[in-house]
Amino acid sequence: MLDLVLVLAFVAYSVSAGLRARRLASRDLGEFFLAGRTLRGWQAGASMAATQFAADTPLLVTGLVAAGGLSRLWLLWIYGLSFLLLAYVFAGPWRRARVLTDAELVELRYGGRGALALRACKALYYGGVLNGAALAMVVVGAVRFTEVFMPWHAWLPEAWFSPVLSFVRAFGGQFVAIGGAAPDVAGADALLSLVMLLGFTALYSLTGGLRAVVATDVVQLAIMLVGTVLYAGAVLAAVGGPEQITAALVAGHGEAQAQQWLSLWPGDEAGPALLVVLVLPWLFQASADGTGYLAQRCMACTDEAEARRAGLVFAWLQIVVRSVPWVITALGLLVLLPAGPGPVDVAAREQTFVQGIDLLLSPGARGLMLVAMLAALASTIDTHLNWGASYWSHDIYGRLWCEALRGRKPSGRELVWVARLANVALLAVALILAARIGSIQAAWHVSLLFGAGIGAVLILRWLWERINLWCEFAAIAVSLVLAPALLAWSDDAHWRLAVMAVASTAITTIVALLTGPSDPDARLEFYRRARPLGFWGRTAAEAGDEPGAPRRALARALGHVVRDGLALYLALYGAIRLLFPLPGAGRLVALAALAVSAALVLWSRKQPVD
C-alpha cells in the first residue's frame, strides 16, 4: 500500500504541474517550448541531467559493467567533455542566436532557399529518426522495469486481458521477455503498462510545455538520486560493504577477472579501439554541439551566463553524482545475482538491476525506488516529446507548410495544438520501434553509429566560417548511406564508429573547401547575433571586430574545458577508487585525486569567464 501511495503522489504532482503551466504554455511556441526563456542555470542543468538519467540508463550501466567491467563506462563518462564544451563554447552562442529549435539555426547560419530544405531535412531526421530511436530505447527500459512490477496477466481477469493479448498477436509486436512469460504475454503486459505510463507523461507534457517538463524534472531528479542512493546502500548492506564486494569478486571469479571488472582504464582496448572509446563517441555524435534538448535548455535560460551554468551543473550531475551509486549497484549485483557460465547475456544482466529492487528493498524503499524509476522514465519521455514536437510544429508545419508552401503565418495557439498532436504521433512511433529492440546496449550502439556521421559538421559550423549548407547535407547523406552498410558488414562497434567518423569528417571538409563559404549576408548576420568562437577572422573583420578575437576566445574556452575536465574526472576517479581500490592497493591516490579536484574547482570559481 505504501508503494502505491508514493506512486500516486508522484503522478498527482506531475499532472498538477502541467495544469498549472497550461495557460502560459498555450500562448505561443516560445512559451510552450522555451518556457518564455525564463529558466535559471541550475534548473536547466538539473532538467538535462534528469532527462539523461532515463529508465534505461541504469540498466545499460549494469549490462556494460557485467560485460566488460567499469572501464566500459568510459563510453558514457567521456561525454563529460562534450558537456563542458557545451558550457564554455556553445551555450552562449545558442542563447544569443535567439532561435526556437536547432533546425531553425540552419536558416540563420546559411541563408537562401537551400537553407529551408536543409532545415526541413534536419527537422525530419532529428524529430523522426533520432528522436524516435531514443524514445524507443527508453520504452524498452520501461518494459524491463514493468515486466517485474506490473504482471498484468496475473492481475487482470482473463476476459479483460485476452483482448489485449489478441491485439498484440495480430499486430506482431513482441517485446523480448527476460522473465518466464511468453513473448506475446510479455508484449501484452508491456502494452498495458506503457499505455498507462506514457499517457500519464504525455498528459503534463502536452498541457504545460517546457515549464511543466522542467518543474517535474527537478523533482524527478531529486527522487531518482535519493532512490538510487538507497538502492546502492541496500546492495552494500546485503553484501557487507565495498570491501566485501571486492573480496567476493576475487573469491568467486579469480583475481584476474576481478581486476578486469574493477579497472577504470580500458587496458584491454588497444590501438584504434582505445581511440574510439576515448575520443570518437563524445566528439562525433548527434548532439556534439548540444543540438537537441541540450541546446533547447540553453536557449530557454534567462541569459548567457545562466546557459553556461546549466552546462556545468549538467556535467557534474551526469558524470560524478549519478555514477557513484550506479557503480556500487552494478558491482554488487555481480555478487548477489551472479551470471552463469558462458558468454554474458547482456539483456539478462540489464534486467538484474530491476530484479535487485524487488529482492533487496523494503516496501517503503521499494516504493521510493519504483517512483524513481517511473520518474526516470517520465523525465526522459517528456523531454523527447517536447523537443521532438518542436520540429514538427515550428519547422515542418509552421515554417515549411504554412509559410513557404501556403503563404500564411499560423497563429501561436494553432502551432501549440499541432505540437500537442505531434506528441501523440511520437509516442506511437516509439512503441512500434521498441517492440523490435532486444538489448538496450545493442540499440544504443546503432544510435551512436548514425550520430557519428553528423557530429563533425555540427561542431565545425560554429567554429569555421567556411562551412556551408552543402556540408550538412553531405554529412546527413553519409550517415544515412554508410550506417546501414557498416551494420551489415561488421559486428565490431569500434571499427564501425571509426570508419563513420573518418568518412564523415573527410567528406565534410572536402565539400567545404570545394564549395566555399555560405551566403555572405547570412554569415555576417549570424556572426553579429550569435558571436561564435573560432576561425571567423574574415567575418569578424567585416563586422568591425578584431580578426583574431574569435580564435583567442576559443583558446580561452578550451582552457576552461581542460581545467574543469581534470576536476571532473579526478573527482570521479577518487570517489570510485575510495570505495573500490584494486585488490592489494590502498586509498592514498584516491584521496589525492579528490584533493586536487577540489582545488581545481575552487580555482575555477575565482577565474573570470568571457
Side-chain angles (χ1 to χ4, degrees), residues 169-401:
R169 287 171 175 167
F171 175 70
Q174 296 181 351
F175 291 91
V176 175
I178 304 301
D184 54 352
V185 174
D189 282 345
L191 181 60
L192 286 169
S193 298
L194 291 174
V195 166
M196 293 182 62
L197 294 173
L198 298 180
F200 140 71
T201 306
L203 180 60
Y204 70 80
S205 176
L206 266 65
T207 54
L210 188 64
R211 275 190 178 84
V213 169
V214 172
T216 54
D217 278 354
V218 171
V219 174
Q220 288 162 358
L221 179 65
I223 294 172
M224 288 183 281
L225 291 175
V226 171
T228 52
V229 168
L230 287 177
Y231 188 14
V235 169
L236 287 177
V239 180
E243 295 86 356
Q244 292 303 314
I245 290 179
T246 302
L249 291 177
V250 172
H253 303 276
E255 186 168 326
Q257 180 61 57
Q259 288 270 6
Q260 180 182 346
W261 272 325
L262 293 171
S263 176
L264 289 170
W265 181 251
D268 59 337
E269 307 280 359
L274 179 61
L275 177 67
V276 169
V277 170
L278 297 182
V279 176
L280 297 184
W282 68 273
L283 190 59
F284 296 89
Q285 54 157 320
S287 57
D289 64 341
T291 289
Y293 62 85
L294 302 182
Q296 182 196 44
R297 298 303 193 272
C298 292
M299 293 186 288
C301 286
T302 55
D303 55 38
E304 302 159 29
E306 293 297 327
R308 183 187 308 115
R309 187 172 292 113
L312 294 175
V313 169
F314 174 44
W316 280 90
L317 287 172
Q318 185 80 346
I319 303 303
V320 179
V321 176
R322 77 168 189 169
S323 292
V324 174
W326 283 354
V327 165
I328 294 171
T329 303
L331 291 174
L333 290 175
L334 287 172
V335 176
L336 296 172
L337 298 172
V344 174
D345 184 338
V346 173
R349 292 310 304 179
E350 291 170 349
Q351 183 71 352
T352 60
F353 184 88
V354 181
Q355 293 170 346
I357 296 173
D358 194 36
L359 292 173
L360 300 174
L361 298 182
S362 62
R366 185 172 59 242
L368 183 60
M369 193 60 199
L370 293 178
V371 173
M373 293 295 287
L374 177 60
L377 166 68
S379 64
T380 306
I381 292 289
D382 60 22
T383 286
H384 281 280
L385 291 177
N386 185 271
W387 163 54
S390 68
Y391 296 118
W392 294 100
S393 58
H394 183 57
D395 300 302
I396 300 300
Y397 180 80
R399 179 67 180 94
L400 181 62
W401 174 252

Side-chain angles (χ1 to χ4, degrees), residues 481-492 495-496 499:
V481 173
L482 190 56
L486 291 173
L487 289 169
W489 290 340
S490 174
D491 294 328
D492 188 334
W495 182 86
R496 293 192 308 239
V499 171

Side-chain angles (χ1 to χ4, degrees), residues 544-557:
D545 293 343
E546 202 278 306
R551 290 197 302 274
R552 290 193 295 272
L554 176 62
R556 288 192 297 271

Side-chain angles (χ1 to χ4, degrees), residues 84-85 88-90 93 96 459-460 462-464 531-536 547-562 610:
L84 293 175
L85 277 178
Y88 287 110
V89 178
F90 302 119
R96 291 190 292 267
I459 292 177
L460 289 174
W462 292 99
L463 304 182
W464 189 21
R531 295 290 174 180
L533 288 63
F535 301 92
W536 288 83
R551 290 197 302 274
R552 290 193 295 272
L554 176 62
R556 288 192 297 271
L558 293 178
H560 295 318
V561 170
V562 172
D610 295 335

Side-chain angles (χ1 to χ4, degrees), residues 508-547:
T508 297
T509 304
I510 291 171
V511 170
L513 294 174
L514 291 179
T515 55
S518 56
D519 176 75
D521 294 335
R523 190 175 70 249
L524 182 59
E525 171 60 23
F526 171 76
Y527 175 83
R528 284 174 170 164
R529 187 191 294 189
R531 295 290 174 180
L533 288 63
F535 301 92
W536 288 83
R538 179 179 176 182
T539 310
E542 293 173 358
D545 293 343
E546 202 278 306

